[in-house]
Amino acid sequence: MPMGSAPAQADPGAEPLAARFAATRALSEALVEPLSDADATIQSMEDASPAKWHLAHTTWFWETFLLRDHVPGHERHDADWPFLFNSYYEAEGERIARFSRGLLSRPTLEEVLDWRAAVNAAMEPLLEDPACADLVALGIAHEQQHIELLLTDIKHALWHNPLGPVMWDAAPEPSAPAGEPGWHEHPGGVALIGHDGAGFAFDNEGPRHRVLLEPFALADRLVTNREWAEFIADGGYDNPALWLSDGWAWVKEAGARAPLYWRGEEAFTHAGWKRRDPNAPVTHINYFEADAFATWAGARLPTEFEWEAIARGQDGSEKRPAHDASAGNQLDTAAPPLPRGGTDLFGDCWQFTRSAYLPFPRFKPAEGAVGEYNGKFMSGQFVLKGASCATVRGHSRASYRNFFYPHQQWQFTGLRLARDL
C-alpha cells in the first residue's frame, strides 16, 4: 500500500484538517469495537498486521513526526513503544521484526486506545498550525491507508478460525445483474498522466508527464463472480497456456483452485460465511490470476496509463461524471465492506494493471524519513487503480497508485478488462 507525500496544496473547498483528523481517528477506533483484545492481537501472516498494531503504528506516526519534531519538550507516552510500532523507517532506528507483531500481547488494546486519546489531545494545537498542514495531511492519508489494511488483515485472521467469526452481523443486499460489458474507447495519442498538483497526493503520483497511448478500450464494469466461476469450470486453473510462467509455478505451489475466501458456493466476509453473490465483482485475486483470466477472455489487463486516461475523461466521453471521492461504494462508517458492482471506475476493488510499479520521469522521493514511503518499494510489484469498498471515502483519485506483489490476494483486488483497437 503506497505511503508517501508530495506537498499538500491547499484546497479551499476541503474539510478543515482538524475535522478530518478527528473523523479519521474516530473511524479507526470504531472499526475495532467488535473485536476482543485477542482478536486485535493475532497476526495471520507476515503480510498482515494485527488490528492493535495498526492502531498503535498510526499513533506512533503522529507522536514521532508531529509531536516529537514540532512540540518542544514533548515526552513520549512510553519510551519503549517506538521499537514495537515503527514499521520500516530505517531512519527511525531498530524495530521488532514484522512477523513478530502478533506476539505483542502487551501493551493491551485498552492501553493502546489510552495512548491514542493522549496523542489526540496533544495534537490539537498542531492541527491549527499552517506550518504543519502538509504533514498533518500526510498523517491523515497514512492512517486512512491503515484503516483499509486493518480491515483486510483482520478479515484474513478471522477466516483462519473454523468458527467463521462475525465482525458485523449484516445481510448484504444482492447485486444487480451485470449484463454484457460495454467499453470506453480511446483513440490513442498523447495523454497527461500523474497528479496535477491540486490538493494532496503521495510522492509516487508525480511528476505529471506525457505518455503515448495506442488505440484501446477499457471495460465499463469489473469481472464478476459468475464470470470467474465460468473460468474455473472451463479449466482455468488447469491450463498452463493461460498463465505466466511465474503464475503457473504459483498455481502448482499454492494448489490454487479459486480466489481467496471461496468455499463451494460461499465466500468469507466480515459478516462471516455468506452465499457468494454471482453478480458482485470478483475480489481477492492476485496479479497472476487476473492476467490468466484476461488471456482466457481474449482480452488483456490495461496499463495504468490507459486506466488513468479513461478516469480523467481523456477519451472525450461526456457520459461519465467526474469522480466524487466522497461518494460511492467506499467506507465511511463502521460497517462491513462489500463489493456491489456497477459502472463506476472507483470503489468495489483495486484493479490490476499490467504496469510495473516504477518511478515516473523526474521522480524524487520526499526528503527525510517520510521519503522511505514509496521510492524504495519500486521493484517487483504491479500498479493497481481505482480504490476498494474498504478504502476510506475521500481517499481516491485518478492518479492514485496502489501496488502489490503479484502473488498477494488478501486485499480487495479484482480486474477490469482492456483490449486493443
Side-chain angles (χ1 to χ4, degrees), residues 66-109:
L66 273 299
L67 297 179
R68 182 198 66 184
D69 292 351
H70 296 273
V71 177
H74 174 79
E75 293 186 8
R76 287 190 180 276
H77 191 78
D78 189 300
D80 293 329
W81 288 3
F83 177 78
L84 304 180
F85 301 122
N86 179 6
S87 53
Y88 47 69
Y89 297 86
E90 298 290 346
E92 291 297 326
E94 295 295 321
R95 59 208 173 278
I96 193 171
R98 182 170 183 171
F99 57 79
S100 297
R101 293 172 183 171
L103 301 177
L104 298 175
S105 59
R106 306 291 177 90
T108 65
L109 176 59

Side-chain angles (χ1 to χ4, degrees), residues 12 25-26 49 60 66 124-125 144 147-148 156 183 216 241 250 266 281 304 308-309 332 357 361 368 385 401 410:
R25 297 288 281 171
S49 296
W60 168 87
L66 273 299
E124 288 182 6
Q144 289 173 339
I147 286 172
E148 182 162 359
H156 191 265
W183 297 88
F216 72 95
W250 170 80
E266 295 182 310
E304 66 167 309
E308 185 171 334
D332 68 343
Y357 176 53
K385 304 288 282 186
R401 305 176 79 202
W410 93 109

Side-chain angles (χ1 to χ4, degrees), residues 216-284:
F216 72 95
L218 182 72
D220 68 353
R221 66 166 177 83
L222 299 161
V223 170
T224 66
N225 287 323
R226 185 191 305 278
E227 290 165 327
W228 201 274
E230 294 171 358
F231 169 68
I232 295 173
D234 197 40
Y237 285 90
D238 298 311
N239 183 357
L242 300 175
W243 295 80
L244 297 168
S245 178
D246 287 348
W248 185 243
W250 170 80
V251 169
K252 307 304 288 184
E253 181 179 355
R257 308 299 302 165
L260 188 65
Y261 303 133
W262 281 32
R263 183 182 71 180
E265 297 299 317
E266 295 182 310
F268 187 73
T269 74
H270 289 89
W273 286 101
K274 298 293 183 183
R275 186 169 182 82
R276 194 168 60 248
D277 183 349
N279 297 313
V282 66
T283 58
H284 300 295

Side-chain angles (χ1 to χ4, degrees), residues 24-200:
T24 301
R25 297 288 281 171
L27 180 56
S28 295
E29 290 154 26
L31 292 173
V32 300
E33 285 184 2
L35 304 180
S36 67
D37 191 286
D39 291 332
T41 300
I42 55 177
Q43 179 182 21
S44 55
M45 61 173 176
E46 186 173 355
D47 285 337
S49 296
K52 183 173 68 179
W53 188 92
H54 286 297
L55 295 178
H57 168 70
T58 50
T59 304
W60 168 87
F61 182 99
W62 293 110
E63 188 175 65
T64 299
F65 297 122
L66 273 299
L67 297 179
R68 182 198 66 184
D69 292 351
H70 296 273
V71 177
H74 174 79
E75 293 186 8
R76 287 190 180 276
H77 191 78
D78 189 300
D80 293 329
W81 288 3
F83 177 78
L84 304 180
F85 301 122
N86 179 6
S87 53
Y88 47 69
Y89 297 86
E90 298 290 346
E92 291 297 326
E94 295 295 321
R95 59 208 173 278
I96 193 171
R98 182 170 183 171
F99 57 79
S100 297
R101 293 172 183 171
L103 301 177
L104 298 175
S105 59
R106 306 291 177 90
T108 65
L109 176 59
E110 183 178 3
E111 289 174 314
V112 169
L113 291 173
D114 287 343
W115 179 29
R116 288 177 65 89
V119 166
N120 289 351
M123 276 292 301
E124 288 182 6
L126 297 185
L127 298 175
E128 305 297 335
D129 184 352
C132 294
D134 288 356
L135 200 51
V136 169
L138 171 60
I140 292 169
H142 169 257
E143 182 146 352
Q144 289 173 339
Q145 290 180 318
H146 277 274
I147 286 172
E148 182 162 359
L149 289 169
L150 186 158
L151 284 166
T152 53
D153 292 359
I154 191 61
K155 180 177 181 179
H156 191 265
L158 296 178
W159 168 68
H160 280 278
N161 189 323
L163 300 177
V166 173
M167 276 187 73
W168 295 287
D169 190 10
E173 294 289 331
S175 301
E180 290 298 316
W183 297 88
H184 301 294
E185 295 190 351
H186 193 292
V190 175
L192 279 172
I193 298 298
H195 193 253
D196 61 8
F200 175 84

